[in-house]
Amino acid sequence: MKLAKLSLAAIMTVGALSTANATPLEEAIKGVELKGFVRYRFYNESDRLKDDRHRFSAPFTFVMPVADGLKTGVTVRFEGSDYADNSAINGSLGFDAVKAWFQYSNKSFTLKGGRFEIATPLTNPGYGGTKGDGLLATVALGENFTFAAAAFTATNVKIGFGGAHLGAGI
């Protein structure tokens, strides 16, 4: 019986300590950014019911501060489609993490690592655009000049020449 009383006392002590050090919800979510959208599409390619298609997608990006100058982000995407025929609805669902990264920034230096969008004049940074796995470092060397260096192990960049496609790494 003493063991039960000791365990209960230990549990109450730990609970009291964790409550005393708990962060209020407002402080815990301060600085967290959420952005995204939900899209629905309907396709009717003929007069037959079985060719009707309902497609929906919802990508959301969460960016959270970790420490001074350090933040992390993740983009998750939900995709689904339903095909209707005369007897039932057949479809598919998918959920995946499209991008995930860490970013450190101070006054003039930024280092970003992980899987993220590659925003250059030659790539498409939009929804479903160019992404890569790697590192990107930028240094502001004055008011109008920024030096950037990047190394990517994989990208989804495709450059087309007639019927051939080449994969390009930046």
Side-chain angles (χ1 to χ4, degrees):
M1 196 66 172
K2 288 184 180 181
L3 184 59
K5 288 181 181 178
L6 181 61
S7 297
L8 183 58
I11 290 170
M12 290 179 65
T13 303
V14 169
L17 289 174
S18 65
T19 304
N21 294 325
T23 304
L25 181 60
E26 288 180 12
E27 290 296 318
I29 63 172
K30 185 182 258 185
V32 175
E33 300 172 25
L34 170 64
K35 57 185 170 181
F37 60 89
V38 176
R39 176 176 28 203
Y40 170 78
R41 295 178 181 166
F42 175 74
Y43 301 92
N44 184 354
E45 298 179 10
S46 73
D47 293 333
R48 296 176 296 179
L49 179 62
K50 69 179 183 178
D51 291 331
D52 289 347
R53 179 179 174 201
H54 305 274
R55 182 177 171 212
F56 41 94
S57 59
F60 291 100
T61 300
F62 299 91
V63 179
M64 299 143 280
V66 177
D68 288 340
L70 182 65
K71 64 183 175 179
T72 185
V74 64
T75 299
V76 293
R77 179 176 57 200
F78 175 74
E79 298 266 348
S81 61
D82 288 330
Y83 298 90
D85 62 14
N86 291 329
S87 61
I89 296 178
N90 302 314
S92 64
L93 297 174
F95 181 80
D96 61 344
V98 181
K99 298 181 266 186
W101 69 93
F102 283 96
Q103 180 173 325
Y104 173 76
S105 299
N106 66 17
K107 190 186 234 181
S108 63
F109 175 74
T110 300
L111 178 66
K112 188 174 188 178
R115 181 166 183 78
F116 52 92
E117 68 280 346
I118 303 171
T120 70
L122 304 175
T123 59
N124 175 14
Y127 172 74
T130 307
K131 292 180 271 311
D133 300 335
L135 292 170
L136 173 67
T138 59
V139 178
L141 299 174
E143 198 171 302
N144 297 322
F145 184 73
T146 300
F147 177 76
F152 290 95
T153 58
T155 65
N156 65 345
V157 177
K158 297 213 185 259
I159 301 172
F161 297 101
H165 291 282
L166 299 174
I170 297 174

